[in-house]
Amino acid sequence: MSYSVGQVAGYAGVTVRTLHHYDEIGLLVPGGRSHAGHRRYDDTDLERLQRILFYRELGFPLDEVAALLDDPDADTRAHLRRRHELLTARIERLKEMAAAVEHAMEARRMGIDLTPEERFEVFGDHDPEQYAQETEARWGGTDAYAESRRRTARYTKDDWKRIRAEADAWGERYAALVADGGPPTGEAAMDLAEEHRRHIDTRYYACPHEMHRCLGEMYVADERFTAYYDALRPGLAEHLRDAILANAARHTR
């Protein structure tokens, strides 16, 4: 039996142009021609095409495919061994790339999914993901981190606006308390510290008083947190830390 170039292209899942090219470079010359001069392929040609496509699937360039098929001295086993090594390395690289893409997709899905314009509208000059990599490195394996990512994944722009408004209102009230000379161990300061804890607990992750204590210490130990809170009112970070400790103590007696 013989087959037209269109039939062979359909059987093999290649284009007619590909078969024409293989013919032109001598890689797959059809065994016959029709009376009109059209290419006709026999079963031997189809077997050769199958081998060509096998080597092409492995990534061999056409000149190497030709050598493997036509050079009696070609070391097929050595060629395949080398190609296997290359493919194995490529598979590992693709796995790494796939993992990186999955990680990026997960970070996007679990993160603050806002456009740059929406981020600016909600957060202004403050970038909420400025320290995202550091945060993940420090707490990525904790339940609190995973819970925070799960919760924030559901937040819309309006949700973030409400959360930001809550935080700003709290900051104004705490700054006013510090300005009025309210002590960190006073009821008002401890109540605001408790409100701070509940905001975290409600909006981000479960924050028991013991964890809140740790956060309070971090606000003083990490100069970036200190700068953030002291921008509301000089000395506010340390004041808040002391209020958090006092509040935790009154709830754990």
Side-chain angles (χ1 to χ4, degrees), residues 28 60 65 79 118 121 136 147 158 177 194 206 216 238 248:
L28 179 64
F60 282 91
V65 174
H79 275 276
E118 288 174 329
E121 181 181 349
E136 183 175 1
E147 178 63 20
D158 289 338
L177 181 143
E194 178 64 14
E238 186 172 346

Side-chain angles (χ1 to χ4, degrees), residues 2 16 34 47 54 59 65 70 115 128 148 193 223 229 241-242:
S2 65
V16 171
S34 67
E47 291 177 5
F54 168 73
V65 174
D70 301 325
T115 66
S148 177
E223 61 184 13
Y229 284 109
R241 186 273 312 271
D242 294 342

Side-chain angles (χ1 to χ4, degrees), residues 16 36 152 170:
V16 171
T152 57
W170 174 89

